[in-house]
């Protein structure tokens, strides 16, 4: 080998609201094989992963089980890691998005972007469950499809006719959490101005050439 490559690998973070299934394992096993191959070639290679421990489904699952979200994600993390170990998947590091390190780096990145004007704020209207007193993600609103009139469809698309729409277009919308009729409420959302980085993204994706010898390989298993 001409030089020792430095390679950082991850897989999609498994969601901390339920067990690992075989579909997940296909990805982790393939990635593990590739990581072992790179290590055997003498490259400096790290395979890291973590539980994704944030989101409404985790909060609702914990409520349904009568435990705190922290208790749920601690239990699921143990289950996930036992399953990975059972399939001989060797992470160099396995952690959680609910960690002080992640909080530190997420805040650090956010503040850097915000200070440089790459974050914008917009007020949008979103459905709100007046009984549970929470804003509802699209998947937690059900109602009748505005196109084909199929009942009991999600707030973002219809499984009967394949139509996509916004939750406000649903006929007779209901909160999937409480069954209450949601109300529209204004809420401030933060948007990352991805277009500010268009040139950087194009450069990363450009072919390696004499003019661009240091192109980094991003998201590609090559
Ligand atoms: Zn439909």
């Amino acid at each position: 080998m001409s030089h020792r490559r430095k390679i950082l690998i991850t897989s999609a973070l498994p969601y901390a609201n339920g067990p690992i299934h075989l579909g997940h394992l296909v990805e982790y096993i393939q990635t593990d094989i590739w990581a072992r191959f790179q290590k055997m070639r003498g490259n400096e290679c790290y395979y890291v992963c973590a539980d994704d421990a944030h989101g409404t489904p985790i909060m609702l699952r914990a409520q349904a089980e009568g435990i705190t979200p922290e208790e749920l994600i601690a239990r699921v993390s143990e289950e996930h890691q036992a399953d990975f170990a059972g399939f001989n998947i060797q992470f160099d590091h396995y952690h959680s998005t609910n960690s002080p390190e992640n909080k530190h780096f997420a805040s650090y990145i956010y503040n850097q972007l915000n200070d440089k004007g790459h974050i914008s704020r917009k007020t949008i209207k979103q459905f709100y469950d007046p009984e549970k007193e929470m804003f509802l993600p699209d998947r937690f609103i059900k109602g009748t499809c505005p196109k084909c009139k199929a009942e009991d469809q999600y707030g973002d698309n219809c499984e009967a006719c394949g139509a996509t729409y916004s939750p406000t277009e649903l006929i007779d919308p209901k909160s999937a959490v409480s069954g209450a009729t949601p109300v529209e409420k204004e809420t401030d959302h933060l948007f990352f101005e991805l277009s500010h980085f268009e040139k950087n993204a194009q450069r990363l994706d450009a072919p390696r050439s004499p003019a661009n010898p240091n192109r980094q390989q991003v998201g590609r298993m090559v």
Side-chain angles (χ1 to χ4, degrees), residues 145 147-150 158 160-161 163:
C145 169
K147 301 260 161 44
C148 76
K149 311 288 188 277
C158 172
C161 75

Side-chain angles (χ1 to χ4, degrees), residues 19-208:
I20 298 289
H21 56 68
L22 280 174
H24 288 122
L25 281 166
V26 170
E27 179 184 351
Y28 300 109
I29 291 168
Q30 288 178 335
T31 311
D32 185 60
I33 292 168
W34 198 77
R36 287 171 192 247
F37 167 69
Q38 294 300 343
K39 287 173 184 173
M40 287 168 76
R41 293 191 77 205
N43 287 320
E44 185 179 348
C45 177
Y46 300 98
Y47 182 14
V48 299
C49 201
D51 272 2
D52 179 354
H54 289 89
T56 311
I58 291 170
M59 190 184 82
L60 295 174
R61 173 81 184 263
Q63 273 180 16
E65 293 193 21
I67 56 177
T68 65
E70 286 77 13
E71 286 169 327
L72 175 68
I73 61 180
R75 188 190 77 210
V76 170
S77 177
E78 260 179 45
E79 291 170 2
H80 283 180
Q81 293 191 65
D83 288 343
F84 287 135
F87 280 80
N88 287 327
I89 294 162
Q90 289 182 352
F91 296 110
D92 293 291
H93 190 62
Y94 196 89
H95 208 359
S96 167
T97 60
N98 188 43
S99 66
E101 295 92 333
N102 196 47
K103 190 174 176 188
H104 168 81
F105 283 111
S107 304
Y108 174 76
I109 292 167
Y110 170 81
N111 286 328
Q112 295 276 313
L113 291 169
N114 195 37
D115 290 348
K116 289 173 182 150
H118 300 308
I119 305 279
S120 65
R121 287 167 176 75
K122 285 179 201 148
T123 302
I124 63 161
K125 281 188 172 175
Q126 197 177 346
F127 268 140
Y128 182 83
D129 184 326
E131 279 184 24
K132 280 276 179 181
E133 298 184 338
M134 59 182 276
F135 282 99
L136 294 164
D138 293 354
R139 298 294 285 181
F140 286 92
I141 302 159
K142 290 191 127 185
T144 301
C145 169
K147 301 260 161 44
C148 76
K149 311 288 188 277
E151 292 179 358
D152 202 31
Q153 297 303 316
Y154 286 113
D156 52 356
N157 80 297
C158 172
E159 288 181 349
C161 75
T164 55
Y165 39 75
S166 89
T168 50
E169 294 175 77
L170 271 183
I171 301 164
D172 194 22
K174 295 271 184 257
S175 162
V177 185
S178 68
T181 300
V183 292
E184 271 190 281
K185 241 181 143 169
E186 288 193 337
T187 171
D188 281 343
H189 276 221
L190 302 174
F191 293 86
F192 173 49
E193 295 286 356
L194 198 57
S195 59
H196 293 185
F197 298 90
E198 196 177 335
K199 284 205 173 108
N200 300 46
Q202 281 171 348
R203 203 165 58 234
L204 285 172
D205 201 39
R208 196 189 291 266

